[in-house]
Amino acid sequence: MASSSSDIQKIPSTYKTKVSRNGNIAKLQAGYLFPEIRRRKAEHMLKYPDVQVISLGIGDTTEPIPEVITTAMAKRALGLSTVDGYTGYGGEQGEKPLRARIASTFYPNLGIDEDDVYVSDGAKSDISRIQVLFGSDVTMAVQDPSYPAYVDSSVIMGQTGQYQKDVEKFTNIEYMKCTPENDFFPDLSKVSRTDIIFFCSPNNPTGSAASREQLIQLVKFAKDNGSIIVYDSAYAMYASGDTPKSIFEIPGAKEVALETASFSKYAGFTGVRLGWTVVPKELKYSDGSPVAKDFNRIVCTGFNGASNVAQAGGLACLSPEGLEAMHQVVGFYKGNTKILVDTFTSLGFKVYGGIHAPYVWVHFPGQSSWDVFSEILEKTHVVTTPGSGFGPAGEGFVRFSAFGHRDSVLEACRRFQELYK
């Protein structure tokens, strides 16, 4: 009897192409942090099918997008089915009304105009575009701990050497240690000069935020060294008081920095995908050419522009009603943060963050972060994020995300109180 096509597909193929694997990808360690957490969560749910697993790990929003925003997206989507409302390709840089509104809303009186703003499908995507922009020959500095995408994208681009297991670092990356001892701001006198400095404030994962005085130091450090700061301000709306919301609030920053941001954690756009990057005209390479010109070329080559429906939502976000709604969403998550901070403080833990960001950074001295992650998951059925996944300085810490329904956060805290009483 002849074999069916399905039978043939089951036979493992021994054929190999003659194309070599990208050696830089081969340098990466294990899986990317958050897929690994999802994998462990899935295993746990198979083991305990009848329990309510609560996720305070991956920083994914849970609350509905405000209706003033979804109404605008729905209207734009329905308009696409009409002759007058249909639009095809838009500008790769984003629609001008949205770019103008972003500039006036987030950068008023800072010398940033609509032409400096590049609308995208999210800050994470822009991080990779920025790495492509700078290429493989630059040197890189990151906060330690930091969002894993900075290091992993640097590795993939070929900017690093091999991973050193004994110190849990890649060679050719400058890890700027950020701990409670230095108020989560690196001692710049001990930091070697690099071409690019990735800096996130308010910070993921530690929840800390750099003060104006600290950012003045950072800008001076970059200017003295001729470096470029890639400033991640994805959580700026969570910052309280006089804490800077943008690097461009610091005099001289437009000459040494670009900034990336996102609607994800403000309006629940983690699935909608909409962000932006600001590249000032004043930012120039050593040959005097503008960085913005090259970034524009990268965008035009590898991106056809953000979804027109998502951009309609972004414009609604920045209407007076939309801004009020986003502040309410942010306020809700900050309420969750306070519950987490109060819970762990009452249990005698050293607790950091939680004031300017939706993350609580809890110290478990002398313990492995992954061991604590596993114990919490096994005994409370709550998913967290091990601090060591963000860099070697994160060892001994666990990040708790405030993204969750209120009853889930309260239940998680009740379980923590049972575990650690």
Side-chain angles (χ1 to χ4, degrees), residues 80-127:
L80 294 173
S81 63
T82 68
V83 172
D84 291 339
Y86 177 77
T87 56
Y89 291 126
E92 291 89 349
Q93 305 82 2
E95 297 177 353
K96 279 192 170 290
L98 177 57
R99 298 171 75 192
R101 192 74 62 85
I102 288 170
S104 63
T105 301
F106 295 108
Y107 309 99
N109 306 313
L110 296 180
I112 300 296
D113 62 37
E114 66 182 65
D115 292 335
D116 300 321
V117 177
Y118 297 80
V119 177
S120 72
D121 53 346
K124 187 174 183 180
S125 300
D126 275 346
I127 287 165

Side-chain angles (χ1 to χ4, degrees), residues 26-73:
K27 296 176 188 175
L28 294 171
Q29 297 302 295
Y32 185 70
L33 174 62
F34 299 115
E36 174 63 16
I37 290 172
R38 277 195 291 268
R39 185 188 69 78
R40 295 192 185 206
K41 176 184 176 183
E43 285 184 353
H44 186 79
M45 292 174 74
L46 286 174
K47 184 178 178 181
Y48 299 100
D50 298 324
V51 303
Q52 179 202 6
V53 175
I54 298 171
S55 182
L56 301 181
I58 298 168
D60 193 2
T61 50
T62 57
E63 302 310 294
I65 297 172
E67 192 171 343
V68 63
I69 299 166
T70 56
T71 297
M73 288 193 286

Side-chain angles (χ1 to χ4, degrees), residues 121-282:
D121 53 346
K124 187 174 183 180
S125 300
D126 275 346
I127 287 165
S128 292
R129 292 186 188 105
I130 289 165
Q131 294 283 30
V132 172
L133 168 72
F134 292 127
S136 60
D137 293 334
V138 296
T139 52
M140 185 74 60
V142 296
Q143 290 159 290
D144 177 22
S146 68
Y147 183 48
Y150 310 146
V151 169
D152 282 11
S153 59
S154 179
V155 174
I156 290 168
M157 277 301 300
Q159 297 165 353
T160 76
Q162 295 295 329
Y163 184 73
Q164 299 175 299
K165 288 189 176 180
D166 56 335
V167 291
E168 299 180 317
K169 296 178 180 180
F170 285 93
T171 58
N172 298 346
I173 286 186
E174 178 75 11
Y175 290 78
M176 303 185 296
K177 194 171 184 178
C178 297
T179 64
E181 289 70 33
N182 60 17
D183 194 27
F184 298 102
F185 186 81
D187 181 350
L188 297 176
S189 68
K190 297 179 180 177
V191 173
S192 299
R193 188 262 171 202
T194 61
D195 296 313
I196 311 300
I197 303 168
F198 269 91
F199 198 89
C200 178
S201 182
N203 185 263
N204 176 17
T206 66
S208 63
S211 68
R212 192 169 302 276
E213 292 72 23
Q214 288 171 333
L215 290 182
I216 289 171
Q217 291 178 42
L218 181 65
V219 168
K220 183 180 186 300
F221 178 77
K223 190 161 285 191
D224 288 347
N225 286 290
S227 305
I228 293 177
I229 300 166
V230 178
Y231 192 80
D232 185 343
S233 64
Y235 301 94
M237 196 174 274
Y238 288 81
S240 304
D242 188 46
T243 301
K245 312 290 195 297
S246 167
I247 190 66
F248 301 125
E249 294 180 35
I250 308 305
K254 291 199 294 292
E255 297 173 350
V256 294
L258 56 82
E259 180 169 308
T260 187
S262 168
F263 286 101
S264 286
K265 307 302 165 57
Y266 302 168
F269 271 29
T270 51
V272 174
R273 309 308 306 151
L274 192 69
W276 68 92
T277 290
V278 175
V279 188
K281 298 176 184 67
E282 294 89 341

